[in-house]
Structures are given as structure tokens and as C-alpha cells.
Amino acid sequence: MYAFSGALAALVRRGTTGEGASVEVSMFDAVAEWMGQTVYTTLYTGAVPPRSTLGHPVIAPYDAYPTADGADVVIGVQSDAGWAALATGVLGRPELVSDRDYATNMARVRNRAEVDALVASVTARLGREELLRRLDEAGVPNATLNDGHGLVAHPQLAERGRWREVGSPVGTIRALLPPIALAGTEPRMDPVPALGEHTDAVLAELGRDAGTVARLRAAGVVG
């Protein structure tokens, strides 16, 4: 989506300035943008919005699992071969590869509660880094599970220079750059306007004269 929007922006730039542009879009930046509500709620209230489930409706095991140091790790077994890798290389239970209650994804989905409990019973005894190492070595898809604080503090955002300071009615705040980067162009990060700050200017652009604007404001139509 952002690559498409960036290409359109580059075409508009070429049409208005005659200059081309390379377009850069990072998947991480795009996800951070999509997580904007979580980022800014966490950043400015200190409270992390509650999670909804991560479980996959037709794949098991596919969820967040606990570790010994309190961090959750997402494990996503995409195939029966992936289950074999998990059972053998991480869980230390090679007999589960051929167990009829676990051998196929259909069986694991049918027995999801037992599968999740089995996986969690092993992951909960391992520290996060040890679990990630075992999963990587076994070739099992995995990811650390960050909350809002983890995303705000993620080194990728800092190392890529994604943060900017902008003005607002309550003072200077930190905000993320838009995910689309056009070479040689700094995205606009204007101050957050106060309520009604641009009412007169916008209505003037729409052809409303000062008298009309005053009547609209007096009637409570605009702020």
C-alpha cells in the first residue's frame, strides 16, 4: 500500500517539478505506522492497549507462548514438517511427530488446548534468548512479541531516524515519520493544529466570505 502511494507521489512530483525520485518503503516502518494507535497511546499515557488473540483459527501451534523471563515469543508452525522440527528440536519430544493426536495440523487444531499447553510447558522453562536460539536452529518461524513500550523503544526506529519532534497545543511531542521516503525530500511534519485553528483558512479556500464564516461559527456549525 505504501509503495503504491509512494509511486503515485513520485509521479506527482515528476509532473510538477520534472524531477524523478526513488521511493523507499520499509516493512518495519509500515507496520509501525499501522500500530500508530498503540504507539501514541503507550507513548503519551503510559498505558499499553490490551491485546486481542494472536491464535490462528486453522493452524496449530500458532500463538504467543511464555518464557521463563516473562517475555512472550510467537511460534508459528506452518506445516507438519514444521511440527516435526518443533517437537524434535525444541520440545525434545520426537515421539510426538508420529502421535496421531499431534502428527497432522488437522489433529493439532482439534486438540488445540492440549497442543498449546504442551508447547507452553516447555517454553515457560526457557529464557527468551535460549528459546529463540532453539527455534532458529530448528528452522521454526518465530518472533519476539513486543508490547507498546517495546515498539516505542525498538532500536530499528531510532537507528533509521524515524522519530521527529513536532509542536502541538500541549507542547513539543515525538512522532514517527510517514513510512514513505522519497529521495531528497523530508516529509512534512507540521505542528498538530489546535481545534479550529485552520477553520477560517479552509473555509476561505472553499469560497466562504468572512460574514458567512462568522454566521457558521455563531450557529455552532464550525469551531
Side-chain angles (χ1 to χ4, degrees):
M1 182 187 77
Y2 289 115
F4 174 71
S5 298
L8 292 180
L11 288 171
V12 170
R13 173 177 167 173
R14 185 190 68 179
T16 55
T17 69
E19 298 179 1
S22 61
V23 179
E24 176 188 308
V25 179
S26 156
M27 286 192 292
F28 186 86
D29 295 345
V31 171
E33 171 84 359
W34 281 11
M35 294 289 291
Q37 187 268 342
T38 296
V39 168
Y40 295 120
T41 299
T42 300
L43 195 59
Y44 294 111
T45 72
V48 180
R51 295 189 188 279
S52 58
T53 180
L54 284 172
H56 197 291
V58 294
I59 300 176
Y62 193 116
D63 213 325
Y65 298 91
T67 65
D69 44 18
D72 286 344
V73 169
V74 178
I75 299 174
V77 169
Q78 304 288 327
S79 65
D80 294 339
W83 169 251
L86 178 68
T88 302
V90 180
L91 304 182
R93 298 284 303 277
E95 73 277 9
L96 297 177
V97 176
S98 56
D99 189 305
R100 67 178 184 179
D101 290 331
Y102 301 97
T104 67
N105 183 66
M106 185 177 296
R108 292 192 298 276
V109 170
R110 187 168 55 245
N111 298 301
R112 183 186 299 275
E114 291 82 358
V115 172
D116 284 341
L118 174 67
V119 174
S121 70
V122 175
T123 65
R125 298 197 302 268
L126 302 173
R128 183 179 71 170
E129 296 307 314
E130 172 64 12
L131 175 59
L132 293 173
R133 183 187 65 78
R134 291 192 186 188
L135 291 165
D136 285 343
E137 290 179 353
V140 177
N142 66 86
T144 55
L145 183 61
N146 289 316
D147 62 10
H149 294 296
L151 178 56
V152 167
H154 201 290
Q156 186 77 349
L157 293 175
E159 291 171 10
R160 286 179 49 76
R162 303 306 299 171
W163 291 103
R164 293 291 185 275
E165 291 189 349
V166 299
S168 81
V170 297
T172 301
I173 61 174
R174 293 169 66 208
L176 289 172
L177 284 170
I180 302 165
L182 296 180
T185 302
E186 176 75 3
R188 286 184 60 176
M189 296 286 283
D190 295 344
V192 178
L195 182 64
E197 180 178 337
H198 297 142
T199 297
D200 289 352
V202 171
L203 291 177
E205 289 182 11
L206 295 175
R208 306 301 194 271
D209 59 31
T212 300
V213 173
R215 287 193 297 274
L216 290 172
R217 182 171 279 113
V221 175
V222 298

